[in-house]
Every structure is written in structure tokens, then in C-alpha cells.
């Protein structure tokens, strides 16, 4: 499935949850959604999306938090899966598997095509895991994936694109932070 198609499904099913995007998703998500509960985490510390989302989900337990992570970023911080499993919270981790470092030009990931991200999440102790290869399956199951208690880890197989540039956030980070705090009622 194309990244845009996958994110269109997310936009239909995210409800009132916070959405944190990273990497290639930052180029697309602001064209689909631009509310105070959207946080486009770029520039970012590569791999830190799940930790940011977990912290937020623990701090504001009434609010679900969806993190749209890159597969390269996931590999960079696999240990975060263990932490996510250890501190139950309403965190929904989407792992966008394009087998590339897309935003740095499209270098292939080590292990491309051979890594079972849902399996890694399960082995780390996350009980609710999913993996979808097709848009039809993701569309059909998204409502289930994004409802009920977290943590959830869901791997989506995405078509990779070469030659992309690192996306820019829709507004400066300081502004995004202030907006999110306001949206969460903690300003
Ligand atoms: C420690 C470290 N190494 C390398 C980079 C450079 N870098 C930034 S984004 C990125 C690729 C991200 O790939 P992925 O998470 O799979 O997301 P995609 O671009 O495919 O959406 C790389 C290699 C970095 N920021 N930090």
C-alpha cells in the first residue's frame, strides 16, 4: 500500500487520539490532518518516537496516543518495545515497513524484507500485535487496531519511494509543542 493510502485510513479512524508522526509520514500527514492533537516529530531524534508517545500516554492516560514510526527508526530503538510492554498505556504504535531509510534518499535497511516487526513486538511482551500487507486488510481492521486498550503494535507494509528529501514540519517545533499542550488542556 502507498504511505498516503495507509495514512488516509488512519485519519478516518484516529478519533480524538494524539497522532505523532515521524520521518516520511511527516510529508503526508499534515495534508490530511492539522489539529492541535497532531504532532509532526521532525526534526527528531531518530528512534525516539515510541518513547515520546509512551511518555505522553502515561502522562495523559485519558488520551490515546498513536505513534507512526519508520521501520529504520524502530530498528534503531528496538529496546523501546520492551519499555512499551512494561508500562501499559493507551499507546498504538504503527510501524511503517518500507524497508528503506526513505527520508535520507532511500538506502536499503539492513535486514530488509526479513524482519517480522509484529513478532519482535510480541517477543518484547506486547500482546496486541498486528501486521497488514494490503490496504484492504488495514482498512478493514483499523477500527479494531485503534480501539480497546493499548499497548498495540501494528506493522503496515508500505511501498518505499527513492530520492525523497527530509520533510519539514508544518510549523516550528516550539509552536507544535505549545499547540499540543493547549490541545491536551495542559497549557
Ligand atoms: C543516529 C542517527 N543515524 C542516522 C540518522 C540519519 N537519519 C535520519 S532519518 C533516517 C532514516 C529514517 O528511516 P525510517 O525510520 O525507516 O523512516 P523513513 O524515512 O523510511 O520514513 C536516517 C538514516 C540519524 N538521524 N540519527
Amino acid at each position: 500500500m502507498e504511505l498516503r493510502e495507509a495514512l488516509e485510513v488512519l485519519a478516518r479512524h484516529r478519533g480524538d487520539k494524539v497522532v505523532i508522526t515521524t520521518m516520511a509520514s511527516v510529508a503526508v500527514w499534515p495534508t490530511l490532518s492539522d489539529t492541535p492533537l497532531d504532532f509532526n516529530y521532525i526534526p527528531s531524534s531518530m528512534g525516539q518516537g515510541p518513547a515520546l508517545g509512551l511518555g505522553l500516554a502515561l502522562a495523559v492516560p485519558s488520551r490515546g496516543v498513536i505513534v507512526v514510526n519508520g521501520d529504520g527508526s524502530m530498528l534503531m530503538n528496538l529496546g523501546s518495545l520492551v519499555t512499551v510492554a512494561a508500562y501499559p498505556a493507551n499507546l498504538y504504535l504503527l510501524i511503517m515497513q518500507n524497508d528503506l531509510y526513505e527520508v535520507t534518499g532511500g538506502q536499503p535497511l539492513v535486514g530488509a524484507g526479513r524482519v517480522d516487526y509484529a513478532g519482535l513486538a510480541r517477543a518484547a511482551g506486547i500482546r496486541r500485535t498486528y501486521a497488514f500487507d494490503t490496504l484492504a486488510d488495514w482498512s478493514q481492521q483499523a477500527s479494531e487496531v485503534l480501539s480497546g486498550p493499548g499497548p498495540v503494535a501494528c506493522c503496515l507494509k508500505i511501498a518505499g519511494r527513492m530520492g525523497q528529501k527530509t520533510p519539514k514540519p508544518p510549523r516550528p517545533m516550539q509552536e507544535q509543542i505549545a499547540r499540543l499542550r493547549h490541545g491536551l488542556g495542559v497549557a
Side-chain angles (χ1 to χ4, degrees):
M1 74 189 100
E2 296 295 328
L3 177 60
R4 169 169 288 275
E5 295 172 326
L7 292 177
E8 282 168 354
V9 173
L10 177 62
R12 287 202 292 277
H13 292 278
R14 59 87 65 94
D16 64 357
K17 294 181 177 64
V18 173
V19 174
I20 298 173
T21 59
T22 66
M23 305 304 171
S25 300
V26 173
V28 178
W29 186 252
T31 68
L32 300 174
S33 179
D34 187 26
T35 77
L37 296 177
D38 295 308
F39 189 77
N40 294 284
Y41 186 35
I42 216 164
S44 61
S45 229
M46 186 178 169
Q48 298 304 319
L52 173 65
L54 176 61
L56 201 53
L58 288 169
V60 192
S62 58
R63 187 70 77 162
V65 177
I66 299 165
V67 174
V68 186
N69 206 21
D71 48 359
S73 300
M74 196 68 251
L75 286 182
M76 183 162 282
N77 195 1
L78 277 181
S80 64
L81 292 173
V82 177
T83 313
V84 165
Y87 293 92
N90 288 324
L91 179 70
Y92 305 80
L93 176 58
L94 302 185
I95 302 158
M96 312 307 262
Q97 185 184 358
N98 59 7
D99 290 316
L100 296 175
Y101 298 110
E102 186 166 306
V103 300
T104 48
Q107 302 83 0
L109 254 68
V110 173
R114 289 187 283 113
V115 179
D116 172 4
Y117 292 94
L120 286 172
R122 238 180 349 266
I126 298 175
R127 294 209 185 97
R128 292 188 60 204
T129 66
Y130 301 85
F132 302 114
D133 287 357
T134 67
L135 180 63
D137 287 347
W138 165 230
S139 305
Q140 205 182 13
Q141 300 292 318
S143 156
E144 181 193 314
V145 171
L146 298 170
S147 56
V152 168
C154 175
C155 179
L156 300 177
K157 189 91 174 71
I158 300 294
R161 293 169 304 167
M162 307 293 284
Q164 299 297 304
K165 293 216 170 77
T166 305
K168 297 220 173 353
R171 49 182 62 77
M173 192 55 87
Q174 290 284 41
E175 233 177 274
Q176 287 206 80
I177 293 169
R179 210 166 171 248
L180 179 61
R181 288 176 66 88
H182 188 72
L184 291 171
V186 297

